[in-house]
Amino acid sequence: AWPRHPVRHNTSRQVCPENHEMSAHLPAILVVDDEKNMRLSLQTLLGDEGYAAHAVESAEAGLALLEREECFMAITDARLGGTVAYTPS
C-alpha cells in the first residue's frame, strides 16, 4: 500500500478507550454516478476520510435519497444515462 500524504492524513479521528477508531461527525455527501467503479471509489475515498458517503447510480435515486436524508453536498456525473445533472444558464 502507498503511504498517505501527511497533509491528507485525517486528523479528525479520535480513539476511544476500547482502541477502536471513532469518526468525528462529518457531513454526509451524496455521490451520483452511473459508472459503478467511479461511484464505489468515491464512496470508499470519502468514507476513509470520515464522511458518511451515500452512493447511488441515477439522478432519480439521488433525488429520492435527498427526500429522506440530509446531505451537505452532492458529487455528480454531468450525464447520467441520458439524464442531465445540471441545466446550463
Side-chain angles (χ1 to χ4, degrees):
W2 292 94
R4 296 185 74 139
H5 189 282
V7 173
R8 288 201 50 216
H9 182 69
N10 189 348
T11 58
S12 63
R13 294 178 189 251
Q14 302 170 349
V15 178
C16 66
E18 296 85 23
N19 293 326
H20 293 97
E21 282 192 359
M22 186 170 59
S23 295
H25 294 283
L26 296 177
I29 296 176
L30 173 61
V31 175
V32 184
D33 199 315
D34 54 353
E35 293 181 37
K36 183 178 180 180
N37 289 337
M38 181 62 75
R39 182 174 67 245
L40 296 179
S41 294
L42 285 169
Q43 183 179 32
T44 300
L45 175 71
L46 292 167
D48 287 349
E49 294 300 321
Y51 292 92
H54 305 288
V56 296
E57 64 182 70
S58 69
E60 294 80 13
L63 292 171
L65 188 134
L66 289 172
E67 293 285 328
R68 302 183 315 270
E69 301 280 336
E70 184 177 320
C71 293
F72 174 71
M73 80 167 59
I75 299 172
T76 67
D77 189 349
R79 287 192 298 248
L80 299 165
T83 303
V84 177
Y86 67 92
T87 304
S89 41

